[in-house]
Amino acid sequence: LTDADDTEPDTDLEKLRQTFLATPWASLDPIAVEVDIETPLAGVMTRSRIDAVFPDPRPESAPGQVVVVDWKTGREPTDPAAVRAREVQLAVYRLAWSRWTGTPLDDVDAAFCYLGDGVTRRPARLLDVDELEALLRG
């Protein structure tokens, strides 16, 4: 549960632990934790370190649907550019998990769990393969 870019020097690890324990993720059994995956995008090898993957806990989820969760020790960003950049990160993680496991991309969702705020955010829409590749090609 670390994220060097988001952690302030005086972060209280026990407080982060307690915040995590108050999230819905704490009571679920992950499918995977801290998985390193490489996948090509637009001729570039991307590397992802996926913090955790869970069966999707939403009641409307079908069997086999999963959610990739990326822990952030800081607060949720408010700057639109920072939000977009983070959503690109999640889209790459989602694609990497889909390719690595053979899970259809439509069955893989992704979320950030911001421990600084104690909230989970799932983007309304994540970029697909073509959009990610177009972004990389500039």
Side-chain angles (χ1 to χ4, degrees), residues 2-135:
T2 61
D3 209 19
D5 294 338
D6 293 345
T7 305
E8 299 198 16
D10 60 351
T11 297
D12 181 353
L13 190 56
E14 183 56 26
K15 181 179 179 198
L16 290 175
R17 185 177 148 319
Q18 291 303 319
T19 303
F20 166 74
L21 291 173
T23 71
W25 308 109
S27 64
L28 300 175
D29 290 324
I31 295 168
V33 176
E34 293 190 9
V35 178
D36 292 318
I37 302 173
E38 294 183 353
T39 193
L41 269 174
V44 175
M45 188 59 69
T46 62
R47 292 187 175 99
S48 302
R49 181 164 190 100
I50 296 174
D51 291 338
V53 180
F54 294 90
D56 197 325
R58 295 178 297 186
E60 68 272 17
S61 296
Q65 290 183 316
V66 299
V67 58
V68 172
V69 179
D70 189 49
W71 312 114
K72 297 295 186 193
T73 56
R75 297 190 174 279
E76 184 176 9
T78 55
D79 175 58
V83 171
R84 279 191 303 279
R86 291 219 171 142
E87 288 178 357
V88 168
Q89 175 192 8
L90 270 188
V92 171
Y93 286 8
R94 173 179 174 248
L95 176 64
W97 182 261
S98 171
R99 286 179 171 175
W100 192 63
T101 63
T103 304
L105 191 59
D106 288 343
D107 288 343
V108 182
D109 199 3
F112 286 114
C113 183
Y114 291 98
L115 296 176
D117 295 323
V119 298
T120 295
R121 294 287 183 237
R122 293 185 192 220
R125 182 182 175 285
L126 291 166
L127 299 178
D128 64 21
V129 176
D130 293 336
E131 292 167 317
L132 287 169
E133 289 188 343
L135 184 65

